[in-house]
Amino acid sequence: MIKVHIGVDDVDSINGGCTTHYAVKLAWMLYSRGVKFLDYPNIVRLNPAIPWKTRGNGAVALRILVESEDSINDIWELASSTLDEYSGVFRDSKKQPGLILHIGDIPWFFKFIAEKALYDLVPLELVDRLLVKSNSTRVYSPSGRRGLIGAVAAVGCTMETSDHTYELLAYRKQEYWGSRRCVSEGSVIAVDREYGDYLILNYDYEYGRVLITPRGPDPVLLGLRGEDPIVLLEAYKKLEICEPVDYTCLFRTNQHTDAHLHSVDSICSIRPYMCVKVNGIVSSRPIRIPGGHVVFKICSGGCCIDVAAYEPTKSFRDIVEKLREGDLVEVMGCTRPPSSRHGLTINLEKIVVREVARVVEYVNPKCPRCGGTMESVGRGKGFRCRRCGYRDQYASKTPVYVERDLKPGIYEPPRIAFKHLMKPISRFGREKRVFSGVLVDGFIQRVG
Ligand code: ATP
């Protein structure tokens, strides 16, 4: 038996589909022909700051066992013709689908590209150059080659020993695409309460919002995310869904693992579009700018960078606003390039407040005669008591320590503001390091 890895990215249907949907159609065709899967289909989320992504910068890998070279040829023919059929004739230069099929063990450079694609920009030329050297990889890119970056990264990100989660995606019948999704809110809340920490970010209680249904016109009806495939299948059955479902598929994924956050020693090594975690000292008091974003600056190693908690992070901004100059923090997030209005800026996803600085404020002195508050008479002319008129030309402002309303700790935005890769604090300490390779029955189903 031969191991085969199929990677795909940047697929769009003429009707508005997406890469995972194409991958599920292909996976179902393979599964129903009796092909053995070595892993659940993988959704690999890549750098969320990539400017040319459509939504969540997701690529997909299918990992299967194949009997013979002939079967590989058939599968390759099936994958590429299905891609053509799915996407129609591409004239849109924004979409550059990439499909690869790799035979055998995964070469080092796939893993290298996967690691880099999570937190940085990967040049297409690099991927092209490395692919030329790989005799065991077939490549199909019918209109532009950019999708090959994600396709290679998906195959390279095996998550065999790194943290991962699961997502059960249910897909809509095409005639329902674009209409309101029919999933009962009450059932989402009930399932969330029943399965607790086994599920991830289903409902935002603070803002009363269902989080498992996307908003756009895409074919995804819902995505139930969690820690365990069996629990997901069980929980899914309890959801009240009032529209027909086309397919369901359990994916293994790097979602909600913070895999995109690359530790850097100094702010000086941060480039645009990088996703980082970095320590720094707050060097400017946070301000709320028009649009509701809260912005401050941190410095380390002789370099400084802007940090922004954007408006969609809602109540998180109130915590960020409590920072003061001198606080020692670790910030996590991806960078936006500088513009005429702001410098290189980290879009804040989480913050660790390591040390809260002692903040001193200078206040007018108290009157030594009557205890009233004194006021300045003028620059260099001393102070006078408002109440009794006592005057002291040598008095000066008195330093007082401000009581800080911020404790050291880790802070995150509300659930509503979470993006695919962001790890909720509730997952800290629950990271998985192994994948057993055993798949549950019915991990992919054609319902309709
Ligand atoms: P969809 O949800 O429709 O699949 P998406 O948000 O996943 O859309 P894509 O349409 O797949 O976005 O576009 C992302 C593109 O960016 C792909 O061509 C992919 O190869 C490329 N890409 C992904 N990560 C990187 C990276 N780190 N550096 C350079 N290019 C990247």
Side-chain angles (χ1 to χ4, degrees):
M1 294 292 263
I2 312 162
K3 271 191 217 163
V4 166
H5 304 263
I6 298 170
V8 63
D9 197 6
D10 218 339
V11 178
D12 226 6
S13 132
I14 31 172
N15 302 307
C18 67
T19 307
T20 72
H21 188 230
Y22 158 78
V24 164
K25 281 175 175 279
L26 176 62
W28 175 253
M29 286 187 264
L30 297 174
Y31 182 76
S32 51
R33 288 173 189 198
V35 171
K36 176 157 171 42
F37 277 70
L38 291 168
D39 194 346
Y40 296 99
N42 295 167
I43 294 181
V44 176
R45 295 284 173 191
L46 302 169
N47 184 343
I50 291 301
W52 42 82
K53 65 162 190 181
T54 320
R55 282 161 290 212
N57 202 7
V60 177
L62 306 179
R63 309 182 196 276
I64 52 179
L65 266 189
V66 179
E67 270 166 17
S68 64
E69 198 67 36
D70 281 350
S71 310
I72 295 177
N73 292 337
D74 289 349
I75 288 170
W76 182 236
E77 168 55 31
L78 180 71
S80 45
S81 60
T82 306
L83 179 68
D84 286 340
E85 209 178 290
Y86 188 82
S87 44
V89 182
F90 280 96
R91 292 208 184 78
D92 179 359
S93 62
K94 281 195 229 124
K95 281 284 152 188
Q96 304 189 12
L99 174 70
I100 62 164
L101 181 150
H102 179 79
I103 304 164
D105 290 335
I106 299 168
W108 67 268
F109 80 80
F110 276 63
K111 297 189 177 178
F112 167 77
I113 296 289
E115 205 172 296
K116 192 169 169 61
L118 270 162
Y119 72 87
D120 206 354
L121 279 183
V122 174
L124 178 56
E125 305 74 62
L126 176 65
V127 173
D128 271 341
R129 241 185 300 133
L130 292 168
L131 276 174
V132 169
K133 290 191 184 147
S134 177
N135 298 328
S136 322
T137 311
R138 301 180 190 188
V139 174
Y140 184 57
S141 50
S143 61
R145 296 174 67 78
R146 196 198 279 145
L148 294 174
I149 303 170
V152 168
V155 168
C157 182
T158 57
M159 300 179 283
E160 278 162 333
T161 53
S162 60
D163 191 19
H164 53 267
T165 61
Y166 295 86
E167 179 161 15
L168 190 155
L169 281 165
Y171 292 87
R172 321 182 80 184
K173 292 265 188 205
Q174 193 165 339
E175 54 272 31
Y176 286 81
W177 296 7
S179 65
R180 207 161 167 266
R181 288 168 173 81
C182 193
V183 180
S184 132
E185 181 168 353
S187 72
V188 176
I189 296 173
V191 158
D192 185 63
R193 295 226 156 102
E194 179 169 353
Y195 293 98
D197 275 352
Y198 281 102
L199 300 183
I200 307 168
L201 304 174
N202 307 294
Y203 194 81
D204 187 318
Y205 294 91
E206 195 180 345
Y207 294 93
R209 174 86 74 83
V210 172
L211 303 176
I212 65 169
T213 46
R215 313 248 141 223
D218 54 288
V220 173
L221 172 63
L222 62 88
L224 201 56
R225 285 156 288 162
E227 304 287 355
D228 183 281
I230 296 173
V231 170
L232 281 178
L233 280 176
E234 200 179 302
Y236 173 73
K237 286 192 198 126
K238 295 187 179 170
L239 290 174
E240 286 161 25
I241 298 171
C242 35
E243 67 168 75
V245 170
D246 204 5
Y247 296 90
T248 59
C249 183
L250 264 167
F251 288 88
R252 200 161 71 87
T253 173
N254 62 353
Q255 287 168 181
H256 304 306
T257 63
D258 274 352
H260 62 310
L261 297 177
H262 183 68
S263 279
V264 290
D265 289 341
S266 150
I267 289 169
C268 306
S269 41
I270 302 177
R271 297 184 300 274
Y273 304 115
M274 270 175 84
C275 299
V276 293
K277 42 184 170 181
V278 64
N279 288 306
I281 305 274
V282 176
S283 67
S284 78
R285 190 177 170 148
I287 47 165
R288 207 170 270 236
I289 60 171
H293 318 304
V294 171
V295 183
F296 62 101
K297 219 181 250 306
I298 60 165
C299 300
S300 75
C303 297
C304 297
I305 193 163
D306 289 344
V307 183
Y310 289 107
E311 192 280 333
T313 62
K314 305 287 177 205
S315 51
F316 183 50
R317 294 168 302 165
D318 303 336
I319 297 160
V320 172
E321 254 181 337
K322 294 178 182 174
L323 291 166
R324 290 293 174 268
E325 284 103 328
D327 288 347
L328 175 61
V329 292
E330 181 182 23
V331 301
M332 305 176 202
C334 302
T335 53
R336 289 177 63 188
S339 75
S340 56
R341 304 209 335 252
H342 57 79
L344 184 62
T345 305
I346 297 179
N347 177 352
L348 191 62
E349 293 180 3
K350 269 194 289 286
I351 187 164
V352 183
V353 177
R354 297 205 179 282
E355 276 173 39
V356 177
R358 294 186 93 178
V359 174
V360 175
E361 256 178 21
Y362 289 87
V363 296
N364 288 351
K366 291 280 177 214
C367 172
R369 196 159 73 187
C370 74
T373 305
M374 299 179 84
E375 63 189 2
S376 171
V377 184
R379 212 183 158 82
K381 293 184 184 154
F383 284 78
R384 178 181 52 214
C385 178
R386 278 204 203 119
R387 201 192 290 164
C388 71
Y390 173 78
R391 230 181 134 132
D392 180 351
Q393 72 175 101
Y394 300 109
S396 58
K397 289 203 173 217
T398 323
V400 289
Y401 287 114
V402 177
E403 188 151 343
R404 298 293 307 276
D405 180 21
L406 179 66
K407 299 235 167 339
I410 180 161
Y411 297 92
E412 65 183 352
R415 292 174 164 200
I416 201 176
F418 265 73
K419 292 191 228 108
H420 295 287
L421 275 160
M422 287 165 64
K423 175 154 87 168
I425 296 171
S426 59
R427 284 207 75 245
F428 279 66
R430 312 185 76 213
E431 295 83 0
K432 298 181 209 62
R433 295 286 172 227
V434 270
F435 168 58
S436 68
V438 181
L439 310 193
V440 299
D441 285 342
F443 73 88
I444 183 162
Q445 286 181 39
R446 177 104 210 238
V447 188

